[in-house]
Amino acid sequence: MRSILKAAIENGKKITMNGKVATYIPELAKGDRDALGVCIFDTDCNIILEGDFNTKFTIQSVSKVIILICALIDNGKDVVFSKVGKEPSADPFNSLVKLEMKETHKPSNPFINAGAIVCTSLVAGDNGIEQFSRILDMMKRLSNNSHIEVNYSVYDSEKLTGNTNRAMAYYLKGANIIQKDVEDVLDAYFKCCSVEVVVEDIARIASVIANNGVAPWSNERIIPEDVNRIVKALMMTCGLYDKSGEFCIEVGIPGKSGVGGCIMAVVPNRMGIAVVGPSLDVYGNSIGGGKVLEDLSRELHLSMF
Amino acid sequence: MRSILKAAIENGKKITMNGKVATYIPELAKGDRDALGVCIFDTDCNIILEGDFNTKFTIQSVSKVIILICALIDNGKDVVFSKVGKEPSADPFNSLVKLEMKETHKPSNPFINAGAIVCTSLVAGDNGIEQFSRILDMMKRLSNNSHIEVNYSVYDSEKLTGNTNRAMAYYLKGANIIQKDVEDVLDAYFKCCSVEVVVEDIARIASVIANNGVAPWSNERIIPEDVNRIVKALMMTCGLYDKSGEFCIEVGIPGKSGVGGCIMAVVPNRMGIAVVGPSLDVYGNSIGGGKVLEDLSRELHLSMF
Amino acid sequence: MRSILKAAIENGKKITMNGKVATYIPELAKGDRDALGVCIFDTDCNIILEGDFNTKFTIQSVSKVIILICALIDNGKDVVFSKVGKEPSADPFNSLVKLEMKETHKPSNPFINAGAIVCTSLVAGDNGIEQFSRILDMMKRLSNNSHIEVNYSVYDSEKLTGNTNRAMAYYLKGANIIQKDVEDVLDAYFKCCSVEVVVEDIARIASVIANNGVAPWSNERIIPEDVNRIVKALMMTCGLYDKSGEFCIEVGIPGKSGVGGCIMAVVPNRMGIAVVGPSLDVYGNSIGGGKVLEDLSRELHLSMF
Amino acid sequence: MRSILKAAIENGKKITMNGKVATYIPELAKGDRDALGVCIFDTDCNIILEGDFNTKFTIQSVSKVIILICALIDNGKDVVFSKVGKEPSADPFNSLVKLEMKETHKPSNPFINAGAIVCTSLVAGDNGIEQFSRILDMMKRLSNNSHIEVNYSVYDSEKLTGNTNRAMAYYLKGANIIQKDVEDVLDAYFKCCSVEVVVEDIARIASVIANNGVAPWSNERIIPEDVNRIVKALMMTCGLYDKSGEFCIEVGIPGKSGVGGCIMAVVPNRMGIAVVGPSLDVYGNSIGGGKVLEDLSRELHLSMF
């Protein structure tokens, strides 16, 4: 197992120079392009770490999974899916076109920015501070790490440059899909994206999902079973933006990527995996991380297909 | 002449019930659906008023003409048209799709909302208050009426419900087309839309444009000649949203409509015309006002074609 | 098992009146709206039939799976995916918009019409007759039924009314993605759609895919392993048009629907399932068939999530 | 006058190298990039020729004006505008997107390809041959030249490479906007585009339109007055593709361009102008020809604004 991971990391490092660190948020541009780390946390609580596993990174869009979990627990699936769709979108993550062309104005799914902003607005709490606090608490429980926190430099950077997200949020407010105060919702959303973690944190979150919503370390149920099923299914169809279909073919398990360079992957009933590598392909997915997961899928027979 | 106007108003009144008063801004919904008034102000300073010419209304999108005049005077056409196009758009006035699909992200023209917001951001002034003050001053000079003012109920209503405009403005900020503070620019824009006038004010503004930029009552040049030419040309191709082409065929002169129910029309070298009738067609143009202009165009041979 | 199927059929029959039989092809309009049948064929060659399992129907878009299999075998995945994408599309099955907006002009995936037409053009054969013969032969082997044939009334109807498909094909020819003669390719495609089958045929095809490409009845490998994996993954993300995401959540297995009323579903390593019910939802999927599969998924624990 | 024309041609020749001869139809690629010729034919039958006025070229999209004239005469405006819009489109001339997004599926206007194909289908005649014969006859009368004919090399080239037009036509057939046989309609359309002319032919056609539909050389009315008015108005708003708005500002008269390098321009009550220069800008308009018309507009005060 360890040698497979070592080889996968080595292979992945060969192509990190083909991608680019995210620059649209200035603070992200400081990421180390050539870093590449991986953590596997299985449902028997075995952990393996390899490569640059100490690399700190912000969770970015991987937080969309935890936001969705909170929104579903707090509202039920009927309410959530009355305001956001369940269908993959072949448009870039920050597209407005689809919002306007669909008669309902609903975002296509919870894993594009517009959909995640809607889900954030649905999380329980009287205001953005309470809503973020609820989501952060869920992240802590799912990762069994009470120390994770917002990276405020990244948060400031997100907030300053988040005008396309702001545009989407006001559009959704105008279409009556977001009821709460837009700036407040965005503030919570930007904080979610800016939470700083390491691969072990994300692998543990993935292991809970792999374990049908029950934390392997405590046997405590954190995610209700039907919520957990929905989350896995949506990760399978919509988890890697415009590359979700290819990931489904080449890796074949539910995944979710973020522009901080992380990809979280769930192997049902077996393990959670997290890779980090800030060098991204044109779709915004970690280029080295994707390669590592392809190798692991092949060597460890992870594909569900 | 007077009998032609009387007949046109009478004809127009027959179809006002086929349209609807604008409701997307609650304050506008109070408009009188059946009102219909007209004013002709010719380049020899003759004035004719007919129908409900005392109806007060907010200028709404007709202000886009004055905003463009200020933007062009303050920046020159090269700067203005580096940030907004000159081409008609076949999309609704508040569409975001075009912004995203065009590689430049430039709004199609200055007479759709996105384009007018960009033009507002270009008007001289250190902040939104100064910029609005400059535009209002221009409206006063062009109408020879120093008493026109903002209707603050409408302004509050616009501001409260203007989330689609806000979405566009933040999108344009994100695309670096608007440099100034978005809320400040929007505040000026919402005030421009909320200026309250009567048809004589608008007919006088139109008469200056018809008179090549020189006020008929003072022979003072207010609009530079080349700016005036650009404004007339854009009114011809883009003045009535998705009905610009039909207006060009059926009326055949430069025009600009607003959802307050006004249509301003310019008969080059002859006269300015303003009609008001708050009942709108599906495109947002005064339904009775359009009919009046069709009748006048035919009876007075106004068409340039 | 049999009682579960009986109950599922009964449940499904309650909602067939909420859908509509396809009418865009006149011949399809003759389908019996209230028919509902199911067949399960497992990898040990057990077969269960329930409901209106004798209903004959045309295979329609379910044929896209077999077309893709042939195209992949005959060309390899690199050639196929240079001409058609792997990503879900949130547009209707017959949309042209995506073709034009994407710079490559490639159809999003092999399971929308445009993508299936491209795959048809890639199947081995000197002309449309040979290409169709190759695909029909594959259908016969996969269903272990050498008697299946084209319903020529449906074929004539498809051909006569297939102008949107014709439009797409000529567009793809213009974009140099289809090299062969358009009418010839379309002729083969229309024939594929018009092949007449019963649920047992489709359940057998599904059982081969469930059995990793090997026919359960002969242990003969018909589909290469990597082709079989690609097919399952694409069925998961793109198999039910604009309802693929919901199907993935509610049923949770690879599926493919057709407007003839059939849904083919694959339970990896366990069984193939086919349902038929000509009453369709707005997306073009069998409304009763979808319900049957939801019930079976829940009762038989079929979901992969 | 002659010296103004000489100077304009000289100025125009300086920028022909900034454009490109159309290549999408192979036969057009043979055009001489640096040729530039002009003809003015006024309503008193004075004619001035300058530059490469003997250059032969195919009429291409300038024929859309004559097709529209025939369609309007043969059907009346109500029928024509029930199948094609009157509004400018900000999309490229060969776009399919608009057809699909608009609920009516009507092409935006008669001067984009889709619209012109619809108009061709409406021209009187039992088949494509008769329809083309009617249109060619109209071209001959309007140009007072009974010798103009199809260039069959260009026609063959158009036909062979016209798959995007074919796609649009089949789409419109599928949407029931075209009733006649698609290949037959396209054949007539391709022939219309391939008619070979010189600038004098086009300047004469323009002079009839400038003269309100009456041939200056015979005082015979060829175009009914209301048809003539519609044609001028549509040329103003939609005549130069995505550059119509700019042409309206910079030249200010009704115009129509074609990828053969011709621009036809109408100065109401004064003259018809035709320029030819095969070097095109990115929108498909003659780059040198546009410059010549800008210069002439300024020097001869042609703008209507």
Side-chain angles (χ1 to χ4, degrees):
Chain A
M1 183 86 137
R2 173 145 329 256
S3 64
I4 290 170
L5 258 73
K6 262 190 208 298
I9 289 280
E10 216 166 287
N11 257 333
K13 286 227 176 192
K14 286 182 194 148
I15 58 166
T16 53
M17 87 283 271
N18 298 339
K20 280 187 191 159
V21 173
T23 53
Y24 75 101
I25 302 168
E27 200 62 28
L28 287 182
K30 299 181 184 167
D32 176 5
R33 202 191 62 175
D34 295 320
L36 195 57
V38 62
C39 176
I40 292 181
F41 192 95
D42 74 19
T43 53
D44 295 324
C45 290
N46 299 305
I47 180 168
I48 314 185
L49 293 153
E50 193 51 65
D52 306 309
F53 56 82
N54 281 321
T55 305
K56 288 184 171 189
F57 56 90
T58 49
I59 189 169
Q60 298 298 336
S61 290
V62 178
S63 69
K64 292 182 167 83
V65 175
I66 298 95
I67 294 169
L68 174 63
I69 290 169
C70 293
L72 283 168
I73 293 175
D74 295 351
N75 299 273
K77 72 174 182 171
D78 290 346
V79 170
V80 170
F81 293 122
S82 71
K83 293 179 181 299
V84 60
K86 314 168 191 174
E87 296 305 318
S89 146
D91 291 303
F93 64 92
N94 55 0
S95 179
L96 285 154
V97 171
K98 271 286 159 49
L99 291 181
E100 193 168 340
M101 280 171 61
K102 297 270 167 182
E103 263 169 63
T104 60
H105 303 294
K106 287 198 323 192
S108 300
N109 65 67
F111 292 162
I112 56 171
N113 289 11
I117 292 170
V118 169
C119 286
T120 304
S121 80
L122 292 173
V123 170
D126 280 350
N127 51 52
I129 291 171
E130 287 185 21
Q131 292 176 300
F132 172 65
S133 162
R134 159 115 180 90
I135 297 165
L136 182 62
D137 186 58
M138 180 60 81
M139 288 180 187
K140 289 177 176 173
R141 288 175 68 202
L142 287 169
S143 63
N144 200 31
N145 177 356
S146 62
H147 298 295
I148 55 177
E149 257 313 329
V150 169
N151 176 326
Y152 279 96
S153 305
V154 173
Y155 162 74
D156 288 345
S157 204
E158 300 255 6
K159 195 151 183 167
L160 206 66
T161 59
N163 287 309
T164 308
N165 285 323
R166 206 165 265 119
M168 280 186 274
Y170 277 110
Y171 183 86
L172 292 161
K173 178 84 176 179
N176 213 23
I177 290 172
I178 290 181
Q179 259 90 32
K180 299 217 167 158
D181 180 75
V182 166
E183 293 296 338
D184 215 35
V185 169
L186 284 171
D187 192 66
Y189 175 72
F190 291 143
K191 278 184 191 145
C192 288
C193 294
S194 308
V195 166
E196 196 168 69
V197 288
V198 290
V199 279
E200 182 180 336
D201 298 320
I202 301 300
R204 279 176 179 267
I205 294 175
S207 77
V208 181
I209 301 172
N211 202 34
N212 296 310
V214 174
W217 50 87
S218 65
N219 282 322
E220 181 202 2
R221 169 162 300 285
I222 304 181
I223 310 167
E225 210 164 346
D226 61 328
V227 169
N228 200 71
R229 188 172 45 82
I230 292 170
V231 165
K232 275 187 291 184
L234 281 169
M235 288 172 74
M236 186 62 107
T237 51
C238 319
L240 277 93
Y241 308 123
D242 295 354
K243 229 181 157 173
S244 300
E246 183 170 329
F247 189 81
C248 195
I249 291 174
E250 301 299 340
V251 184
I253 48 176
K256 183 73 205 82
S257 62
V259 292
C262 181
I263 305 176
M264 171 166 85
V266 168
V267 191
N269 304 315
R270 288 174 64 187
M271 60 182 77
I273 311 177
V275 287
V276 65
S279 183
L280 307 179
D281 65 20
V282 291
Y283 303 103
N285 301 311
S286 173
I287 194 165
K291 184 81 186 103
V292 167
L293 288 169
E294 279 182 37
D295 284 5
L296 293 183
S297 177
R298 196 182 50 249
E299 299 297 324
L300 304 174
H301 305 287
L302 305 180
S303 175
M304 296 163 72
F305 300 109
Chain B
M1 182 85 136
R2 170 143 333 255
S3 64
I4 290 170
L5 259 73
K6 261 190 208 296
I9 290 281
E10 217 166 285
N11 257 332
K13 287 227 176 192
K14 286 182 195 149
I15 59 166
T16 54
M17 86 284 272
N18 298 339
K20 281 187 191 159
V21 173
T23 54
Y24 75 101
I25 302 168
E27 200 62 28
L28 287 183
K30 301 181 184 167
D32 175 6
R33 201 191 63 175
D34 296 319
L36 196 56
V38 61
C39 176
I40 293 181
F41 193 96
D42 74 18
T43 53
D44 295 325
C45 291
N46 300 306
I47 180 169
I48 313 184
L49 293 152
E50 193 53 64
D52 306 307
F53 56 83
N54 281 322
T55 304
K56 287 185 172 188
F57 57 91
T58 51
I59 189 169
Q60 297 299 335
S61 290
V62 177
S63 69
K64 291 183 168 82
V65 175
I66 298 96
I67 293 169
L68 173 62
I69 290 170
C70 293
L72 283 169
I73 294 175
D74 295 351
N75 300 272
K77 72 175 180 171
D78 290 345
V79 169
V80 170
F81 293 122
S82 71
K83 292 178 182 300
V84 60
K86 314 169 191 173
E87 297 304 318
S89 146
D91 292 302
F93 64 89
N94 56 358
S95 178
L96 285 154
V97 171
K98 271 285 159 50
L99 290 181
E100 194 168 339
M101 279 172 60
K102 296 269 169 185
E103 265 169 61
T104 60
H105 304 292
K106 289 198 323 191
S108 300
N109 66 66
F111 292 162
I112 57 172
N113 290 11
I117 292 169
V118 169
C119 286
T120 304
S121 80
L122 292 174
V123 169
D126 280 349
N127 51 53
I129 292 172
E130 287 184 23
Q131 292 176 301
F132 172 66
S133 162
R134 158 114 180 92
I135 297 164
L136 182 62
D137 185 59
M138 179 61 80
M139 287 180 185
K140 289 177 176 174
R141 288 174 68 202
L142 287 169
S143 64
N144 201 31
N145 177 357
S146 60
H147 298 295
I148 55 177
E149 256 316 327
V150 169
N151 176 327
Y152 279 96
S153 306
V154 173
Y155 161 75
D156 287 345
S157 205
E158 301 254 5
K159 193 151 184 168
L160 206 67
T161 58
N163 287 310
T164 308
N165 286 323
R166 207 165 266 119
M168 280 186 274
Y170 278 109
Y171 184 86
L172 292 162
K173 177 84 177 178
N176 214 22
I177 290 172
I178 290 182
Q179 259 89 31
K180 300 215 167 161
D181 178 75
V182 165
E183 292 296 337
D184 215 36
V185 169
L186 284 171
D187 192 68
Y189 176 71
F190 290 142
K191 279 183 190 146
C192 287
C193 293
S194 308
V195 166
E196 195 167 71
V197 288
V198 290
V199 279
E200 182 179 337
D201 298 320
I202 300 300
R204 279 175 179 266
I205 294 175
S207 78
V208 181
I209 301 173
N211 202 34
N212 297 309
V214 173
W217 50 86
S218 67
N219 281 322
E220 180 203 3
R221 170 163 299 285
I222 304 181
I223 310 167
E225 211 164 348
D226 61 329
V227 169
N228 200 72
R229 188 171 46 82
I230 292 169
V231 166
K232 276 187 291 182
L234 282 168
M235 288 173 72
M236 186 61 107
T237 51
C238 320
L240 278 93
Y241 309 123
D242 296 353
K243 230 182 156 173
S244 300
E246 182 169 331
F247 189 82
C248 194
I249 290 175
E250 301 300 340
V251 183
I253 48 176
K256 184 74 205 78
S257 62
V259 291
C262 180
I263 306 176
M264 171 167 85
V266 168
V267 190
N269 304 315
R270 289 173 64 185
M271 60 181 77
I273 310 178
V275 287
V276 66
S279 182
L280 308 179
D281 64 21
V282 291
Y283 303 102
N285 301 311
S286 173
I287 196 164
K291 184 81 185 104
V292 167
L293 288 170
E294 278 182 37
D295 284 5
L296 293 184
S297 176
R298 195 182 52 249
E299 298 297 323
L300 303 174
H301 305 287
L302 304 180
S303 175
M304 294 163 74
F305 300 110
Chain C
M1 184 86 136
R2 169 143 335 251
S3 65
I4 289 170
L5 258 73
K6 263 190 206 297
I9 289 281
E10 215 167 287
N11 257 332
K13 287 226 177 192
K14 288 182 193 148
I15 59 167
T16 53
M17 87 284 274
N18 298 338
K20 280 187 192 157
V21 173
T23 54
Y24 74 102
I25 301 168
E27 201 61 27
L28 288 181
K30 301 181 183 166
D32 174 6
R33 201 190 64 175
D34 295 321
L36 196 56
V38 63
C39 177
I40 293 182
F41 193 96
D42 74 18
T43 53
D44 296 323
C45 291
N46 299 306
I47 181 167
I48 313 185
L49 293 152
E50 193 52 66
D52 307 310
F53 55 84
N54 281 321
T55 304
K56 287 186 173 189
F57 55 91
T58 50
I59 189 169
Q60 297 298 336
S61 290
V62 177
S63 69
K64 291 183 168 84
V65 175
I66 297 95
I67 294 169
L68 174 63
I69 289 170
C70 294
L72 283 169
I73 293 176
D74 295 350
N75 299 272
K77 71 174 182 173
D78 290 346
V79 169
V80 171
F81 293 122
S82 72
K83 294 181 180 297
V84 59
K86 314 168 191 174
E87 297 304 318
S89 146
D91 291 303
F93 65 90
N94 55 359
S95 179
L96 285 154
V97 171
K98 271 285 158 50
L99 291 182
E100 194 169 341
M101 281 172 59
K102 297 270 167 183
E103 265 170 60
T104 60
H105 303 293
K106 288 200 320 194
S108 299
N109 66 65
F111 291 163
I112 55 173
N113 289 12
I117 292 169
V118 169
C119 286
T120 303
S121 80
L122 293 173
V123 170
D126 278 350
N127 51 52
I129 291 171
E130 288 184 21
Q131 292 176 301
F132 172 65
S133 162
R134 158 114 181 93
I135 297 165
L136 181 63
D137 184 59
M138 180 62 81
M139 288 180 185
K140 289 177 177 173
R141 289 175 66 201
L142 287 168
S143 64
N144 200 29
N145 178 356
S146 61
H147 299 294
I148 54 178
E149 257 315 326
V150 169
N151 176 326
Y152 280 95
S153 305
V154 174
Y155 161 75
D156 287 345
S157 205
E158 300 255 5
K159 194 151 182 168
L160 205 67
T161 59
N163 287 309
T164 308
N165 285 324
R166 207 164 264 121
M168 279 187 276
Y170 278 109
Y171 184 86
L172 292 161
K173 177 85 175 178
N176 213 23
I177 289 172
I178 289 181
Q179 258 90 30
K180 300 216 167 159
D181 179 74
V182 165
E183 293 296 338
D184 213 35
V185 169
L186 284 171
D187 192 67
Y189 176 71
F190 290 143
K191 279 185 191 144
C192 288
C193 293
S194 308
V195 166
E196 196 168 68
V197 288
V198 291
V199 279
E200 182 180 336
D201 298 319
I202 301 298
R204 280 176 179 265
I205 295 175
S207 77
V208 181
I209 302 173
N211 202 34
N212 296 310
V214 174
W217 50 86
S218 65
N219 281 322
E220 180 202 3
R221 171 163 298 286
I222 304 180
I223 311 168
E225 210 164 350
D226 61 329
V227 169
N228 200 71
R229 188 171 44 82
I230 292 170
V231 166
K232 277 187 288 182
L234 282 169
M235 287 173 73
M236 186 62 107
T237 52
C238 319
L240 279 93
Y241 308 123
D242 295 355
K243 230 182 158 174
S244 300
E246 184 171 328
F247 189 81
C248 194
I249 290 175
E250 302 300 341
V251 183
I253 48 176
K256 184 72 205 82
S257 61
V259 293
C262 180
I263 306 177
M264 171 168 85
V266 168
V267 191
N269 305 316
R270 289 174 63 187
M271 61 182 77
I273 309 177
V275 287
V276 65
S279 183
L280 307 180
D281 66 19
V282 291
Y283 303 103
N285 301 312
S286 171
I287 196 164
K291 185 81 185 100
V292 167
L293 288 170
E294 280 182 37
D295 284 6
L296 293 184
S297 176
R298 195 182 53 250
E299 299 298 323
L300 304 174
H301 306 286
L302 305 180
S303 175
M304 296 163 72
F305 300 108
Chain D
M1 184 83 135
R2 173 147 327 257
S3 64
I4 289 170
L5 257 73
K6 262 189 207 297
I9 290 281
E10 215 166 289
N11 257 332
K13 288 227 176 191
K14 287 183 194 149
I15 58 167
T16 52
M17 87 284 273
N18 298 338
K20 280 187 192 156
V21 173
T23 54
Y24 74 101
I25 302 168
E27 199 63 25
L28 287 182
K30 301 181 183 166
D32 175 6
R33 200 189 66 176
D34 295 319
L36 196 56
V38 62
C39 175
I40 293 181
F41 193 96
D42 74 18
T43 52
D44 295 325
C45 291
N46 299 306
I47 181 169
I48 313 185
L49 294 152
E50 192 54 65
D52 306 311
F53 55 83
N54 281 322
T55 304
K56 287 184 172 189
F57 55 91
T58 49
I59 190 169
Q60 299 296 338
S61 290
V62 177
S63 69
K64 292 182 167 84
V65 175
I66 296 94
I67 294 169
L68 174 63
I69 289 170
C70 293
L72 283 169
I73 293 176
D74 295 350
N75 299 272
K77 71 174 182 173
D78 291 346
V79 169
V80 171
F81 293 122
S82 71
K83 294 181 180 298
V84 59
K86 313 169 191 173
E87 296 304 319
S89 147
D91 291 302
F93 63 91
N94 56 359
S95 180
L96 286 154
V97 172
K98 271 285 159 50
L99 290 181
E100 195 168 340
M101 281 172 59
K102 297 269 168 183
E103 264 169 62
T104 59
H105 304 292
K106 288 199 322 192
S108 300
N109 65 65
F111 292 163
I112 55 172
N113 290 11
I117 292 169
V118 170
C119 286
T120 304
S121 80
L122 293 173
V123 170
D126 279 349
N127 51 52
I129 291 171
E130 286 185 22
Q131 291 177 300
F132 172 66
S133 162
R134 157 114 181 92
I135 297 165
L136 181 63
D137 185 59
M138 180 61 80
M139 288 180 186
K140 289 177 177 173
R141 288 176 67 202
L142 287 168
S143 63
N144 200 31
N145 177 358
S146 60
H147 298 294
I148 54 178
E149 256 315 328
V150 170
N151 175 326
Y152 279 94
S153 305
V154 173
Y155 161 75
D156 287 344
S157 204
E158 301 256 5
K159 195 150 183 170
L160 204 67
T161 60
N163 287 309
T164 308
N165 285 323
R166 207 164 265 121
M168 279 187 276
Y170 278 110
Y171 184 87
L172 292 161
K173 177 83 177 180
N176 213 21
I177 291 173
I178 290 181
Q179 259 91 31
K180 301 216 168 160
D181 179 74
V182 165
E183 293 296 337
D184 214 35
V185 170
L186 284 170
D187 192 67
Y189 176 71
F190 290 143
K191 278 185 192 145
C192 287
C193 293
S194 308
V195 166
E196 196 167 69
V197 289
V198 291
V199 279
E200 182 179 336
D201 297 319
I202 301 300
R204 279 175 180 267
I205 294 175
S207 77
V208 181
I209 302 173
N211 202 35
N212 296 310
V214 174
W217 50 86
S218 65
N219 281 323
E220 178 203 5
R221 169 162 301 285
I222 304 180
I223 311 167
E225 208 163 352
D226 61 330
V227 169
N228 200 71
R229 188 172 46 80
I230 292 170
V231 166
K232 276 188 288 180
L234 281 169
M235 289 173 72
M236 186 61 108
T237 52
C238 319
L240 279 92
Y241 308 123
D242 296 354
K243 229 181 157 174
S244 299
E246 184 171 328
F247 189 81
C248 194
I249 291 175
E250 301 300 341
V251 183
I253 48 177
K256 183 75 205 80
S257 62
V259 293
C262 179
I263 305 176
M264 170 168 85
V266 168
V267 191
N269 304 315
R270 289 173 64 187
M271 60 180 78
I273 310 178
V275 287
V276 65
S279 181
L280 307 180
D281 65 19
V282 291
Y283 303 102
N285 301 311
S286 172
I287 196 166
K291 184 81 184 103
V292 166
L293 288 170
E294 280 182 36
D295 284 6
L296 293 184
S297 176
R298 195 181 53 249
E299 298 298 323
L300 303 175
H301 305 286
L302 306 181
S303 174
M304 294 163 74
F305 301 107

